[in-house]
Amino acid sequence: MRMAGPDVVLFIVGALLFGGALTAIIVTQGPGAFTGTAGSPSGLYSVTWTTASGTPKSLQVSDFTGGSVKGSVNGTNVDKVTVSVTCSDPASAAVPFAISVNVDGPNNLKGKGSGNCGDKIEVVVKVQDVPGPTSASGSTPEAAASSLPANPNATAGVGDWTITFSGSRGPTGALPVPAPGPSGTISLVAETFSPKLDPVAK
């Protein structure tokens, strides 16, 4: 079962696209805390980890010929960031429009992807691994959770992210066909992880 992770709010502050188009993205994720049941007869809890993704908010992009968006990730325990491009191009059946995407995050986090307009174009940037199962002791779930070791990479992925894209109509290496670039949407979402505590019987 997927449970809510720590709050993550991503603000894409704006984008300057070729032709003057402007787009922005706001991504939110619900409140997060460790989950589990109250009380353990043995004072011991098994700890597993659940992941949760925010719901991306996307805006229309009028022209994928070229541009970039900039945003920030704020929160802790981010395990991956996913950038998705959805493109609509009525002319693609005749002459496909090829799109390339580059994603640059903090701490030298990078990813790239490509595809034709109409294809699924998705770039997943791995930030860190989700921890493996462990155990914790305490008189309450809260006390047990507080005894877990601090994650040294808790803020990995936090900071500015830049998504740059470009596109052209026609096969690779050919002269671009003089036609308007297609429209579509671009979205950004972070996935986070949080501990789930279950009591261990005596």
Side-chain angles (χ1 to χ4, degrees):
M1 179 175 66
R2 292 168 69 84
M3 307 298 293
D7 289 354
V8 176
V9 180
L10 312 177
F11 294 97
I12 301 300
V13 296
L16 181 60
L17 306 180
F18 184 84
L22 183 68
T23 187
I25 305 165
I26 299 176
V27 183
T28 61
Q29 182 172 305
F34 73 89
T35 60
T37 56
S40 171
S42 65
L44 185 66
Y45 295 82
S46 64
V47 182
T48 54
W49 301 83
T50 60
T51 58
S53 295
T55 301
K57 303 294 183 180
S58 301
L59 293 180
Q60 188 72 23
V61 177
S62 62
D63 189 345
F64 273 108
T65 300
S68 64
V69 292
K70 292 181 182 293
S72 62
V73 173
N74 301 302
T76 57
N77 295 339
V78 176
D79 66 284
K80 67 180 179 180
V81 171
T82 302
V83 172
S84 301
V85 174
T86 303
C87 181
S88 176
D89 182 18
S92 63
V95 185
F97 188 91
I99 299 174
S100 295
V101 181
N102 287 282
V103 180
D104 293 283
N107 302 310
N108 204 35
L109 294 168
K110 295 181 181 294
K112 61 182 179 180
S114 62
N116 288 334
C117 183
D119 295 343
K120 179 180 179 181
I121 304 175
E122 185 176 87
V123 181
V124 178
V125 181
K126 187 69 175 177
V127 177
Q128 62 186 302
D129 292 330
V130 177
T134 186
S135 61
S137 59
S139 57
T140 64
E142 291 83 0
S146 66
S147 73
L148 291 170
N151 178 9
N153 297 316
T155 59
V158 174
D160 294 332
W161 289 75
T162 301
I163 306 160
T164 305
F165 53 88
S166 61
S168 62
R169 196 179 300 280
T172 302
L175 292 175
V177 177
S183 61
T185 59
I186 186 168
S187 65
L188 170 69
V189 64
E191 181 179 274
T192 62
F193 57 89
S194 59
K196 178 180 181 296
L197 279 73
D198 292 304
V200 176
K202 286 184 177 180

